């Protein structure tokens, strides 16, 4: 949690700097168009990926398999969608990374390790 406050200060500041630079470099209208297209396209992509993750979760639950990766994928897609809807280029890149399967495979072990560490500390309890 100690990293949350600097994140809420540094990311918006960096986003504003990049948006101002982009506005000066390519113009205001192309910058606004890029933000609008990334938001709409990201929402569409997140919807498609979300339905795929939900179908995978239902399939795993139907066959009595552990839904671990499907749940983590669903959470990553959810956060990716939120990041894509937010205006800015840094959040768009992070959101796109969370939406596609390849980068999620790289991120997944870190998430599993974080969850395991929290379970060992007693902060997450599964019953």
């Amino acid at each position: 949690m100690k990293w949350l406050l600097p994140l809420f200060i540094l990311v918006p500041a960096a986003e504003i700097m990049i948006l101002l630079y982009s506005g000066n470099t390519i113009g205001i209208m192309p910058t606004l168009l890029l933000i609008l297209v990334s938001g709409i396209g990201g929402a569409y992509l997140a919807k498609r990926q979300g339905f795929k993750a939900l179908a995978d979760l239902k399939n795993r639950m139907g066959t009595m398999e552990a839904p671990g990766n499907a749940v983590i994928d669903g959470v990553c897609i959810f956060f990716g969608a939120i990041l894509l809807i937010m205006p800015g280029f840094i959040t768009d890149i992070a959101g796109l990374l969370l939406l596609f399967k390849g980068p999620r495979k790289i991120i997944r072990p870190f998430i599993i390790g974080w969850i395991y560490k929290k379970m060992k500390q007693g902060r997450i309890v599964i019953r």
Side-chain angles (χ1 to χ4, degrees):
M1 291 306 249
K2 58 185 170 191
W3 52 268
L4 203 55
L5 182 62
L7 186 73
F8 281 135
I9 294 170
L10 293 176
V11 170
E15 291 281 14
I16 290 170
M17 288 185 341
I18 292 172
L19 286 172
L20 287 173
Y21 179 76
S22 174
N24 285 335
T25 304
I26 64 173
I28 294 172
M29 289 309 289
T31 300
L32 290 175
L33 187 63
L34 275 172
I35 292 169
L36 187 65
V37 167
S38 70
I40 293 170
Y44 172 74
L45 198 61
K47 181 180 174 183
R48 283 189 50 211
Q49 293 293 327
F51 281 131
K52 284 182 184 178
L54 185 61
D56 184 35
L57 179 65
K58 285 181 180 180
N59 185 27
R60 287 176 182 258
M61 296 297 282
T63 59
M64 303 300 283
E65 291 181 51
N69 289 342
V71 171
I72 291 174
D73 285 347
V75 170
C76 286
I77 291 167
F78 175 73
F79 282 115
I82 289 173
L83 288 173
L84 277 168
I85 292 171
M86 294 172 61
F89 296 121
I90 297 171
T91 54
D92 286 348
I93 291 168
L96 281 173
L97 289 175
L98 289 173
L99 283 186
F100 292 114
K101 199 173 254 189
R104 276 199 317 256
K105 286 182 181 180
I106 297 169
I107 296 169
R108 191 180 299 133
F110 295 106
I111 295 171
I112 292 171
W114 179 78
I115 291 171
Y116 182 71
K117 184 176 123 182
K118 295 295 180 185
M119 288 174 68
K120 282 181 81 172
Q121 292 173 349
R123 292 186 176 182
I124 296 177
V125 179
I126 298 175
R127 297 179 188 193

